[in-house]
Amino acid sequence: MANYDLHALRHSTAHVMAHAVKNLYPSARVAIGPSIEEGFYYDFDVDQPFTPEDLDKITAEMANVIKAANSFVRKEITRDEALALFADEPYKIELINDLPEDEVISIYEEGDFVDLCRGPHIDNAGEIKAYKLLKSSGAYWRGDERNAMLQRIYGTAFASKQELDDYLKMLEEAEKRDHRKLGRELDLFSLQEAAGPGLVFWHPKGALIRTLIEDHWRAEHLKNGYELVVTPHIARQDLWRTSGHLDFFNENMYQPMEVDEVPYLIKPMNCPFHLLIYKSRVRSYRELPIRWAELGTVYRYERSGVLHGLMRVRGFTQDDAHIMCSRDQLDSETKRVLEFVLSMLRRFGFADYEIYLSTRPEHSVGEDDVWEQATEALRAALDEQGLAYQIDEGGGAFYGPKIDVKIKDAIGRVWQCSTIQVDFNEPERFDLTYVGQDNAHHRPIMIHRALLGSMERFMGVLIEHYAGAFPLWLAPVQGLVIPIADRHVEYANKVADDLRVEGLRVEVDDRNEKTGYKIREAQLHKIPYMLVVGDREQEAGAVAVRSRSKGDLGAVSVGDLIRQLKKELTDA
C-alpha cells in the first residue's frame, strides 16, 4: 500500500479505536488521534489508566465496529456548529477555538461516531484488516506538563496480516535490543533523576566506548583536512540575538543567567562560536576552504514527555563541523563532505541508507542563483556516489538546501544521522568576509555538517544495532581471562598483562565461582573472547579460547592469540 494510503489507513484505524473506546467508556473525553511514522495513537481523558485487559476489550470492540463497515463521511461545518457539536468534549473545543478564523472546519462521521478531523480516511471501516493495539501510557495534553495528564493508546495497522506479523516480530527484536535495557545490563550509562531528566551519566565502560568513537572521529578529521576547535559552553545573550537563535529557537533554549549584570545563555548550538573564531582576524581567499570541527556539548530544553533514553536528551555532544568556502569551492567541498559521511558510517557498520535532498522552502533567504548552485552541488555529490535519494521539495532550511542521510540498522529501522546543510544566512548575519584575489571583500558560504549526529543518540543507535555485542575494536572489554582455580590466578594475571602491553583491553575474573558460571556471565556481558587458563594452559604458555559468536576455538599460545586479535582489529 502506498505511503499516503497507509497514512489514511492508520488514521482511520485510530478513529475506529476512539469509536470503540467511546462505546465501552461513554464518559471518556477524546483529544487527538493522528497517524505517526509506524502506526497511530489516540489520547483520552479517562478516570483510570488503561490496563492490558482494557486494551483487549477495546480490540474486541474494534472488531465489531469494523464488521459494521460504516463509511467515513466528510462534512464541512461552521465554527458555531462545531462548538455546539463538541460541547461535551473540552479538548475538541480548545482545538476549534485555536483554529484561524478562515479555517475550513471539517468532521468525519463513521456510524454514530463523529470526530473533528481534516482527514484523509479510507472509504469505510470494513477495509481495516490487520491492526494491533500495542500499549498505553500517560501523555500530557499538547505535550505540556502543565496540562492535564491523558491516557494515550498506541497501535499500528497494515494493509496485510503478513506485514503486521513482520512488524510485530521486529518489535519483539527491538525490545531485546532496547538501549535503555542493555545500558543497564552492560553498565554503560545511567540517567540520574537527582541531577535532572535528560542528562546522561557515562559509566566507565560506556565512557570508554564513547572515547574510542571520539578518538577515531578526531583522527579521521585530521586525515581529512579539518582543524579541531574547542569553544565555551555559555555566551552573552546578544550573541544568540545576532545568530537568530533567540528568534527561531528560543523555546528550546534555557533561561538566561546573570553574570556581572549581563544575561548569558548556555549554548544550544556551536555554529556562532565557530563564526566568532573566523571573525577574530581578516581572512584571505588563500585560507579557504576552512574546515573546523568540534565535539561540542550543547543543551536544549526538551519537554519531559518526549525524553527517551539516549535518543532524546537535554544535554548532548554534537559531532559538529563548519566549512567556510567560496562559491567556486562549493561543488568540491560538498562532494568531499559526502564521501567523508559515507566512510564514517561504514566504519561503524552502516551501509544501507535512506537519503533526502531538501530544496528551497517558500520562506527563505539568499539569492536565487546561489540557491540553485548549492542545490545542484548537493545533487551532483549524490549522483557521483551513485546513491539513490528522494527529493523533499521545499523541505530545506530557510537558510539553504540540505542532504539528510538516514541509516538502517540491523533490523531495518531507520535513524536520522548525518546531515549536510548549506547556509547563506549566518555568514550574512555575522558579516563574514574574506579578501579575494581582487583585494575586495567577499562573503563566504558556510556548510554545516554532522557525520554521526550527536554522540548520545549515535551511541543509542549503536547499542541497538549490535544488540550490545560491539565489534572487537569498540568492545570495552575485549577479552576476559578466566582462571579455573586459585592456583591459576597468578598466570591469568600474567596473560592479562601481556595482552594489555599490546594495547588490548583485558580483565581477569578471579572470583571464587565455577568456570561455567563465569563463562555464562561473560556471554551475558557480550565480551568477545573468554580466555580460560588451567594446568595445561599454564604449562604450555597458552589459553583456551572461547569466542562470543563461534564458541570453543581450542588452545593457542599467548603470542599467537595476540597476533590473531591484532589481525582481527586490523581487518575490521
Side-chain angles (χ1 to χ4, degrees), residues 402-418:
K402 63 175 181 172
I403 291 173
D404 287 320
V405 180
K406 299 182 179 182
I407 56 177
K408 289 188 179 179
D409 70 9
I411 58 175
R413 294 172 301 175
V414 176
W415 304 93
Q416 172 63 51
C417 189
S418 312

Side-chain angles (χ1 to χ4, degrees), residues 472 499 502 504 556-571:
L472 186 64
L499 293 171
E502 297 296 329
L504 296 163
V556 298
S557 70
V558 174
D560 283 346
L561 174 65
I562 290 170
R563 284 186 286 274
Q564 290 174 18
L565 294 181
K566 285 193 167 184
K567 183 177 186 305
E568 183 176 340
L569 288 167
T570 302
D571 293 344

Side-chain angles (χ1 to χ4, degrees), residues 189-204:
F189 70 91
S190 62
L191 297 157
Q192 301 286 343
E193 193 61 35
L199 302 173
V200 182
F201 287 73
W202 296 100
H203 297 199

Side-chain angles (χ1 to χ4, degrees), residues 170-187:
M170 186 276 289
L171 286 185
E172 288 179 15
E173 182 61 29
E175 187 174 351
K176 297 175 189 174
R177 294 168 177 261
D178 190 321
H179 73 281
R180 296 166 298 179
K181 169 177 169 288
L182 289 171
R184 289 191 301 273
E185 293 174 356
L186 302 179
D187 197 22

Side-chain angles (χ1 to χ4, degrees), residues 79 203 341 401 458 493 557:
R79 184 178 298 268
H203 297 199
V341 165
F458 189 71
N493 283 314
S557 70

